[in-house]
Amino acid sequence: MSGSKYLFLLAFLISYKITMGQQNYELQLPKDQEDLITGHLDLGDKNPNGDSISVNSQYIKFNDQPFFPVIGEFHYSRYPEKYWEESILKMKSGGINVIGSYVFWNNHERKEGVFDWSENLNLKKFIQLCKEHDMYVIVRLGPFCHGEMRNGGLPDWLYGKPFEVRSNNIQYLDHVNRLYGEISDQLSGMLYKDGGPVIGVQLENEFQHSAAPWEITYPGAKKERTVSARDAGVTHEQIAVTDGHNPYAEEGEQHMEILKNIAKKNGLEVPLYTATGWGNAAIVEKGSIPVTAGYVYPFWSDPHPSPFYLFKDIRQHPDYMPVSYDTKLYPSIAAEIGPGIQVKFSRRPFVHYESVEPLMVRTVGSGSNGIGYYMYHGGSTPVFESKFYNEDVSGMPKINYDFQAPIGQYGQLRPQYHTQKLLHMFLESYGNELAPMQTVLPLSNEKITPQDTKTLRFAARSKGDQGFLFMINFQDHMDFSTLHDLQVKIKTSNEEISFPSSGTFDLLKASTCILPFNVQFGDANFKSATVQPLTKLDEAGGQKHFVFYSIEGLAPEIVLSGKSKIKKLNRGQSNSFKGDTRITGRQGEIFSFEIGKNTYTIIPKELALQSYKIKDRLFFTNGLLLDGQENISIVSREEDNDLHIYPSIDQPVSISGASLKGRKSISQGFSTYTVQFEKVNPEIDIKKLNNMTWMATLSDNWEGLNDVFLHINYTGDRGMAFIDGLLVTDHFYNGRLWEIGLKSFKEKLNNENMIFKFHPIYKDYPYLGDLPEQDKEKVNSVGTYFEIGEMKVIPEYKANIQF
């Protein structure tokens, strides 16, 4: 065989192998859009500045422009008042634009007729801080809240009253009227109509769907639920899929309307009234937004592959269907997506941090026009008069309400804080364009099940021929791996757009992406791109910066419609492609180009995860950045921190609390510095008192530190921490180490030690199946197991940067 024939045959075989191994997917965009319904909902209002909020059948509008709320749940009563501001800033840095918070009735009216709004219960102060930092608020009024709080937030003294709670009994409603009146006093001047940040209130919680157990009970007794006798048969203890049959639906709707009228009578008039809409719960028909939920690792049911990683039309087919309302009349707004979950004695679910980004990308790609996290920020359930307010009868921790949340019990950041920030930045810049776009599903979506981990999970949101392609590769409670040699083609009204433009890509395990097609970014029309939009920045003089990030497994490329006049192409390559202009860059590198007055910069995802958008600039650091308005704070557990600023700055930068040194820029258009903290070593003395009890004595060498975290690496059933004989926090083991932030206890620790009591795991404990395999093997081999490893302290530094 001649050399040329051999090469031809080899090329043919390689091409044949690639074609046979390639997975091709297609999606046809629809010609028509669903009709938008307006003016049918009793929602919306204006503030004194003339700004307006309104709601149509598909999305919320702010000043007649689509608005995409990103809601993070944070319970003010579960966190120290003196650290509220720092936590609000952490949420803002994470891309949250609305804070949701329960008002737990039993925290505030522990004794009938006596309300307490002091210290950690100071709702007025909390809302004022939100206003100072431009954060909207949705106040969850109750009267019933749940939230794993004692009686679901209902005061104990209601149990002994001659009426049923959560009913239309006039005496019960009189108490609700007084509660709403007290809340209204706290929110005076803070409502949107008065120029305040409170844009909405939630009425009740899961009415005619869920209840909490009364804590006034006895060991071994069947649980009594916080619900009227009429609704007992349609009410569950937690979120569930129901049969949709509710003989008391009319009464339920009436009760919700009564609550709304009581709220308005007390001056609680806001643009948005919300009601939990999942599982056939009652709402205010055409008078509230029925918000949705999604928990992948629930503590109330057995683990199984969840359907929440399958794309769908989530507005027409909400999760936890059936529902009590006409889905065509309302936008899909998620209020309770679980980026973590609580643990309890009998169940120890372990939420994989990598599970959250795919869950939220799926939810947005499926058509949600608002997302909300429960919880976004963990905390500690309060203790009043030596009485625990946790849901004890269900086996919840006495104090710990960490929830494995993006921001933990003591304000510590988890990996999902950073991955979700990327999605939030995208929504902040492009949510107004995304909201009118409707979900388009491929034909392959009809047959896919949670157990199918080999088929690509994807959908698009489009309007006309433009939109965004959403893809994920994740499934809970299943083994899955990288999907190789993929190609997706989107068929518009007049062309076929391929991702990538030629060849294939890999979608790595647990990876996600949101890719634009026919989207106008400033002066350039992106026909397609394998890089994800991150944010856009405005500079003086009309200069705009569009920032994207590349994703491992997808070679970064941008196809611009037609022949584009590109200038200052940095580190990338440009070529003509089928009459269009294709720009490519190297994986893991920064590259950029300019068109007109616009700069387009592509960064690796690893760098994007370190990004913070402050004052129309991007800051990148391995620490945390907080925008305190007067200055920017950097918080970090590392002594050495990179700090990159884009676009670059030409003004002096100073710092207090650390040293700042300029160095060579990581790329054109960036300013680069090193922030270095002086090392502090808080000392800890650990003494074993007996097999299950330890004593920790900490030095007071905390000067200049923002916090000190104690890491306890143990394997056991649970741990409890005491100061001066009082329980200050606890921990139910689920495979992760125990982390305690000590600044909340600093004053007490100056005079007292911290005592730790631990308990072993027994092989007959019901949660054993939730633990890592190595832990199960240890317990089963000996019948009972406890082991304690290293205890160490981790300093957290803080400095202020001024420009």
Side-chain angles (χ1 to χ4, degrees):
M1 183 182 293
S2 69
S4 60
K5 289 182 178 179
Y6 175 80
L7 290 174
F8 174 80
L9 179 60
L10 180 61
F12 172 79
L13 291 173
I14 292 173
S15 174
Y16 178 76
K17 182 178 180 181
I18 290 174
T19 302
M20 291 297 291
Q22 183 172 315
Q23 296 187 57
N24 298 306
Y25 294 90
E26 295 183 351
L27 189 149
Q28 176 72 56
L29 298 185
K31 295 181 180 179
D32 301 316
Q33 295 285 114
E34 180 185 336
D35 291 337
L36 187 71
I37 306 173
T38 62
H40 63 298
L41 301 176
D42 180 24
L43 297 167
D45 204 352
K46 291 185 178 182
N47 70 10
N49 295 327
D51 297 321
S52 65
I53 294 176
S54 58
V55 186
N56 58 44
S57 61
Q58 295 179 19
Y59 48 85
I60 297 172
K61 292 200 297 182
F62 177 77
N63 286 344
D64 291 326
Q65 293 297 314
F67 169 67
F68 206 110
V70 179
I71 310 161
E73 187 83 8
F74 174 38
H75 297 157
Y76 62 93
S77 64
R78 279 178 157 141
Y79 210 71
E81 172 196 10
K82 58 185 174 181
Y83 303 127
W84 283 344
E85 184 169 30
E86 183 179 76
S87 288
I88 290 168
L89 290 175
K90 287 177 181 177
M91 296 179 75
K92 185 175 182 178
S93 288
I96 299 297
N97 56 27
V98 182
I99 293 179
S101 195
Y102 274 135
V103 179
F104 291 112
W105 186 2
N106 61 352
N107 287 189
H108 293 285
E109 195 181 6
R110 302 186 295 278
K111 180 180 179 182
E112 184 179 358
V114 180
F115 279 86
D116 181 2
W117 301 99
S118 65
E119 298 179 343
N120 298 348
L121 301 177
N122 191 341
L123 175 60
K124 182 186 291 289
K125 179 178 178 180
F126 180 74
I127 302 299
Q128 180 63 46
L129 288 170
C130 292
K131 180 181 180 180
E132 289 176 12
H133 295 289
D134 301 318
M135 296 289 278
Y136 289 130
V137 183
I138 292 178
V139 180
R140 304 179 81 177
L141 302 176
F144 173 77
C145 296
H146 209 173
E148 290 69 59
M149 187 67 73
R150 183 180 178 89
N151 308 324
L154 298 179
D156 279 12
W157 47 263
L158 281 175
Y159 184 79
K161 293 292 184 178
F163 54 77
E164 293 186 310
V165 298
R166 305 177 75 189
S167 71
N168 289 340
N169 179 281
I170 190 64
Q171 292 175 282
Y172 171 69
L173 294 176
D174 281 345
H175 284 287
V176 175
N177 180 64
R178 193 174 75 247
L179 170 67
Y180 281 12
E182 287 277 340
I183 296 173
S184 181
D185 288 345
Q186 289 290 307
L187 301 183
S188 177
M190 292 291 109
L191 302 179
Y192 186 74
K193 65 184 180 68
D194 303 316
V198 180
I199 60 171
V201 298
Q202 179 183 297
L203 303 166
E204 245 278 348
N205 187 60
E206 302 174 330
F207 190 70
Q208 290 191 327
H209 175 76
S210 181
W214 281 108
E215 292 293 333
I216 302 173
T217 186
Y218 298 90
K222 289 188 178 295
K223 294 178 183 177
E224 292 180 89
R225 292 179 179 154
T226 52
V227 66
S228 67
R230 180 200 66 200
D231 292 337
V234 297
T235 303
H236 308 265
E237 195 166 312
Q238 294 288 346
I239 295 176
V241 174
T242 72
D243 61 8
H245 176 66
N246 180 6
Y248 313 110
E250 186 175 339
E251 290 87 345
E253 184 181 313
Q254 181 186 26
H255 181 74
M256 296 297 288
E257 288 180 356
I258 289 171
L259 292 182
K260 182 175 179 178
N261 288 334
I262 293 174
K264 295 180 76 171
K265 171 189 166 187
N266 282 284
L268 293 169
E269 297 181 80
V270 290
L272 307 177
Y273 293 87
T274 70
T276 45
W278 52 84
N280 214 39
I283 71 164
V284 183
E285 186 178 0
K286 296 184 181 179
S288 64
I289 299 175
V291 292
T292 63
Y295 291 95
V296 177
Y297 298 90
F299 60 75
W300 54 86
S301 62
D302 293 332
H304 64 278
S306 160
F308 299 154
Y309 291 101
L310 302 180
F311 287 98
K312 63 194 292 189
D313 184 336
I314 204 169
R315 181 165 157 266
Q316 298 298 331
H317 305 284
D319 295 327
Y320 301 110
M321 283 193 76
V323 294
S324 67
Y325 56 90
D326 183 350
T327 59
K328 292 183 177 63
L329 300 180
Y330 307 92
S332 175
I333 309 289
E336 285 197 23
I337 302 290
I341 200 65
Q342 182 68 331
V343 296
K344 63 177 184 174
F345 177 77
S346 60
R347 286 297 314 280
R348 310 290 173 90
F350 182 100
V351 177
H352 297 272
Y353 297 143
E354 65 184 7
S355 72
V356 183
E357 185 181 18
L359 175 65
M360 302 315 297
V361 169
R362 169 267 184 184
T363 301
V364 175
S366 292
S368 275
N369 275 332
I371 53 176
Y373 299 94
Y374 190 99
M375 298 286 295
Y376 187 79
H377 192 314
S380 301
T381 301
V383 180
F384 298 108
E385 295 87 35
S386 300
K387 178 179 175 180
F388 297 110
Y389 274 71
N390 66 315
E391 192 175 287
D392 191 59
V393 70
S394 295
M396 299 294 167
K398 301 288 187 187
I399 293 175
N400 186 325
Y401 202 66
D402 176 82
F403 220 82
Q404 304 175 61
I407 304 177
Q409 181 184 8
Y410 299 104
Q412 65 272 49
L413 303 188
R414 305 266 164 66
Q416 70 267 44
Y417 174 89
H418 301 285
T419 56
Q420 294 318 104
K421 180 167 38 118
L422 303 186
L423 176 62
H424 303 161
M425 292 171 73
F426 165 74
L427 294 173
E428 186 265 338
S429 289
Y430 303 107
N432 62 325
E433 297 180 43
L434 181 70
M437 295 179 178
Q438 295 174 11
T439 296
V440 187
L441 301 171
L443 293 176
S444 59
N445 203 69
E446 295 178 0
K447 297 180 180 179
I448 193 169
T449 66
Q451 289 75 18
D452 180 357
T453 59
K454 304 299 182 183
T455 302
L456 176 65
R457 301 172 185 209
F458 74 106
R461 289 188 64 172
S462 69
K463 185 175 182 180
D465 288 343
Q466 66 173 348
F468 296 91
L469 171 65
F470 294 76
M471 294 186 282
I472 69 169
N473 181 16
F474 185 87
Q475 180 61 57
D476 63 290
H477 301 99
M478 289 288 293
D479 292 329
F480 62 101
S481 58
T482 294
L483 297 174
H484 295 283
D485 298 322
L486 306 174
Q487 187 181 73
V488 177
K489 292 182 179 180
I490 294 180
K491 296 183 177 181
T492 73
S493 60
N494 55 22
E495 64 181 335
E496 186 176 82
I497 300 172
S498 180
F499 293 85
S501 59
S502 61
T504 64
F505 68 91
D506 294 340
L507 193 60
L508 272 57
K509 180 177 180 178
S511 187
T512 74
C513 56
I514 303 173
L515 308 179
F517 58 89
N518 287 332
V519 175
Q520 191 77 24
F521 295 99
D523 296 328
N525 182 275
F526 283 36
K527 178 176 283 189
S528 69
T530 57
V531 293
Q532 180 162 327
L534 178 64
T535 190
K536 55 186 174 183
L537 309 167
D538 293 319
E539 264 196 311
Q543 179 81 9
K544 289 186 181 293
H545 296 263
F546 296 88
V547 183
F548 305 78
Y549 65 86
S550 58
I551 301 163
E552 188 179 355
L554 284 80
E557 69 163 22
I558 296 166
V559 178
L560 304 175
S561 298
K563 295 182 179 180
S564 301
K565 293 182 179 179
I566 299 171
K567 55 182 180 178
K568 294 185 180 179
L569 178 60
N570 177 41
R571 292 188 183 174
Q573 294 81 42
S574 173
N575 66 287
S576 178
F577 178 78
K578 297 181 179 180
D580 295 318
T581 303
R582 181 168 61 182
I583 299 172
T584 58
R586 298 181 66 175
Q587 184 76 50
E589 290 189 1
I590 299 172
F591 65 99
S592 63
F593 58 93
E594 292 184 16
I595 297 178
K597 280 191 171 185
N598 304 146
T599 300
Y600 303 85
T601 301
I602 295 84
I603 62 176
K605 185 174 183 179
E606 292 73 19
L607 183 60
L609 288 168
Q610 298 183 0
S611 63
Y612 297 88
K613 184 177 178 180
I614 301 174
K615 297 178 176 64
D616 258 321
R617 269 191 163 82
L618 279 179
F619 295 75
F620 304 87
T621 180
N622 47 303
L624 162 70
L625 290 180
L626 303 176
D627 182 7
Q629 297 179 348
E630 293 183 4
N631 54 52
I632 297 171
S633 298
I634 179 169
V635 179
S636 178
R637 298 186 185 187
E638 305 292 332
E639 286 95 51
D640 295 321
N641 298 264
D642 292 331
L643 177 64
H644 313 289
I645 304 174
Y646 177 85
S648 59
I649 58 173
D650 54 11
Q651 63 211 77
V653 182
S654 61
I655 194 167
S656 58
S659 65
L660 182 73
K661 295 180 180 179
R663 57 186 175 89
K664 184 179 179 181
S665 170
I666 57 168
S667 185
Q668 180 178 308
F670 288 73
S671 296
T672 298
Y673 304 87
T674 297
V675 177
Q676 189 167 43
F677 293 98
E678 186 176 343
K679 187 175 180 63
V680 178
N681 289 309
E683 297 177 358
I684 182 171
D685 178 55
I686 305 294
K687 185 179 294 183
K688 180 178 178 180
L689 303 181
N690 60 49
N691 287 339
M692 294 295 165
T693 309
W694 271 255
M695 180 172 70
T697 305
L698 286 100
S699 71
D700 57 2
N701 181 26
W702 294 14
E703 191 66 32
L705 295 178
N706 187 56
D707 205 343
V708 173
F709 288 90
L710 178 61
H711 283 188
I712 306 171
N713 190 7
Y714 80 102
T715 304
D717 172 55
R718 64 193 187 276
M720 297 184 290
F722 297 82
I723 299 177
D724 195 21
L726 298 178
L727 182 68
V728 294
T729 191
D730 51 351
H731 180 262
F732 284 5
Y733 178 77
N734 75 334
R736 289 194 170 110
L737 62 76
W738 186 9
E739 185 175 52
I740 304 173
L742 297 177
K743 71 178 178 183
S744 300
F745 311 118
K746 186 175 181 181
E747 292 180 7
K748 295 178 181 179
L749 288 172
N750 284 339
N751 303 310
E752 295 287 341
N753 300 310
M754 187 172 273
I755 304 296
F756 296 94
K757 287 188 175 291
F758 297 94
H759 299 263
I761 307 174
Y762 291 86
K763 68 177 182 180
D764 60 348
Y765 277 179
Y767 59 79
L768 203 61
D770 293 326
L771 298 185
E773 286 299 322
Q774 63 267 26
D775 292 337
K776 287 187 277 191
E777 291 173 4
K778 292 174 184 176
V779 176
N780 285 322
S781 65
V782 294
T784 181
Y785 190 82
F786 172 76
E787 179 184 22
I788 188 161
E790 184 183 21
M791 284 192 191
K792 64 178 181 179
V793 290
I794 310 294
E796 182 180 81
Y797 304 94
K798 185 176 183 179
N800 294 322
I801 303 171
Q802 296 88 28
F803 295 91

